[in-house]
């Protein structure tokens, strides 16, 4: 089946109806064919293709995968890059088809918002006022409003979103749960370029020198992840092979400075109580901050909007003794281009 393009709600309804007829004909199949949606603003790259491939793998060859391409004006604030945002529908269609999509829904703004901007919108609530929401007031209200509309229009069983936009993913999950949307929300890991930079349609606006500076975002996240891994490893050694401070002192007296320092570290980790995790959030933040502080001094420089280690359930900052899942998120400007990135972390477990 070749890729089909719909630009209006009526055309989309026709595509979904034909798929519905096929699902009815295949109702004896177990499991029944499912519909998946991947929502994009176009300018598709390998990150979007990974979402489409994940959707195709999830629903199987009998399922139906719809990619939406719509640059949503509601989520762009004053002075943001709505007009600058790339529109590349022809290449988007090729990318979507090669990744396994069955259809692309690429409506106009008038088709999505007949009569102008909607008077009734979805509020992102307190979670939508933090981090990206604080920097871009109203952004998440506009995002959730269009996501809700597109979920109604495409009527999927499952919807796929990238982990790169972690706060967006968290809010969509919260909306689906709070408002009883009958859809499964699936997050797909961030796709990165060979040098570590998270894929984004905005990367094309970076000069060669700016790109070198922008790599500080991913380097900071990886440094934090490595610090957490090292702390977990030290904690595991302390629990499996506790050692004494007396042995560390003896090694030091013998001139074995490196071995003594290592033994001191393990002894210190072993002395901590079970209620005090050995992998503090402060150390993780600090490891990332060192990399970002250097990038601020570089030329061209990086202007940091935020670095935050947050609970993925509500995007509030986690305490230093946090255990469980967290997201380390960063946003910064390099030149005129604003970039975001994040990495999921788990405290209190081996990485």
């Amino acid at each position: 089946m070749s890729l089909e393009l719909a630009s209006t709600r009526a055309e989309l309804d026709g595509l979904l109806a034909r798929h519905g007829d096929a699902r009815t004909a295949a109702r004896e199949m177990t499991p029944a064919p499912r519909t998946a949606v991947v929502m994009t603003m176009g300018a598709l790259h390998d990150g979007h293709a990974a979402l489409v491939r994940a959707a195709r793998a999830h629903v199987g060859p009998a399922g139906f995968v719809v990619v939406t391409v719509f640059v949503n004006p509601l989520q762009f604030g004053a002075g943001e890059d709505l007009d600058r945002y790339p529109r590349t529908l022809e290449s988007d269609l090729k990318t979507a088809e090669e990744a396994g999509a069955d259809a692309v829904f690429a409506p106009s703004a008038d088709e999505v918002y007949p009569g102008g901007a909607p008077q009734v919108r979805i509020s992102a609530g307190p979670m939508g006022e933090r981090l990206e929401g604080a920097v871009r007031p109203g952004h998440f209200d506009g995002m959730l409003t269009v996501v809700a509309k597109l979920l109604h229009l495409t009527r999927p069983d499952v919807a796929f979103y990238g982990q790169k936009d972690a706060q967006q993913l968290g809010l969509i999950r919260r909306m689906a749960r709070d408002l009883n949307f009958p859809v499964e929300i699936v997050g797909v890991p961030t796709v990165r370029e060979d040098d570590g930079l998270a894929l984004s349609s905005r990367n094309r606006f970076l000069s060669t020198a700016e790109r070198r500076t922008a790599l500080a975002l991913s380097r900071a996240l990886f440094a934090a992840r490595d610090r957490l891994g090292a702390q977990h490893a030290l904690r595991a050694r302390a629990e499996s092979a506790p050692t004494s401070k007396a042995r560390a002192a003896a090694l030091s007296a013998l001139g074995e400075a490196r071995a003594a320092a290592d033994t001191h570290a393990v002894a210190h980790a072993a002395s901590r109580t079970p209620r005090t995790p050995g992998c503090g959030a402060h150390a993780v933040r600090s490891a990332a901050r060192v990399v970002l502080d250097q990038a601020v001094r570089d030329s061209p420089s990086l202007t940091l909007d935020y670095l935050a280690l947050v609970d993925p359930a509500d995007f509030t900052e986690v305490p230093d003794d946090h255990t469980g899942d967290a997201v380390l998120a960063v946003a910064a400007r390099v030149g005129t281009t604003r970039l975001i990135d994040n990495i999921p972390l788990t405290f209190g477990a081996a990485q």
Side-chain angles (χ1 to χ4, degrees), residues 21-51:
D21 291 342
R23 291 181 67 176
T24 300
R27 63 181 177 273
E28 299 302 323
M29 295 176 61
T30 303
R34 307 182 80 202
T35 297
V37 67
V38 174
M39 297 182 187
T40 82
M41 292 206 299
L44 302 190
H45 49 62
D46 286 345
H48 297 108
L51 294 175

Side-chain angles (χ1 to χ4, degrees), residues 41-43 71 76-77 79-88 200-207 210 332-339:
M41 292 206 299
V71 182
F76 287 81
E80 293 189 334
D81 54 358
L82 173 60
D83 294 333
R84 188 186 181 200
Y85 200 89
R87 275 84 165 168
T88 57
S200 170
S201 59
R202 292 188 171 96
N203 291 352
R204 69 187 68 191
F205 299 132
L206 296 168
S207 68
E210 288 171 344
R333 293 183 184 274
V334 182
T336 60
T337 304
R338 187 172 185 275
L339 302 170

Side-chain angles (χ1 to χ4, degrees), residues 97-153:
E97 182 172 22
E98 291 177 348
D102 294 298
V104 169
F105 179 45
S108 65
D110 289 340
E111 185 69 26
V112 177
Y113 303 120
Q119 296 186 37
V120 176
R121 307 186 187 192
I122 290 180
S123 170
M127 182 175 169
E129 297 172 357
R130 300 171 185 134
L131 300 187
E132 284 299 290
V135 177
R136 306 174 66 188
H139 166 74
F140 286 124
D141 292 353
M143 180 275 295
L144 289 179
T145 298
V146 79
V147 167
K149 286 185 70 91
L150 290 172
L151 287 175
H152 287 312
L153 290 169

Side-chain angles (χ1 to χ4, degrees), residues 9-23 35-36 64 66 103 150-156:
R9 178 175 179 175
E11 291 171 349
L12 177 64
D13 287 343
L15 292 179
L16 294 173
R18 290 198 295 277
H19 174 60
D21 291 342
R23 291 181 67 176
T35 297
F64 193 70
V66 182
L150 290 172
L151 287 175
H152 287 312
L153 290 169
T154 58
R155 304 190 290 280

Side-chain angles (χ1 to χ4, degrees), residues 262-286:
D262 180 69
T263 307
H264 270 300
V266 175
H268 175 70
S271 70
R272 298 175 69 100
T273 66
R275 292 186 179 181
T276 307
C279 306
H282 174 73
V284 169
R285 292 187 185 96
S286 297

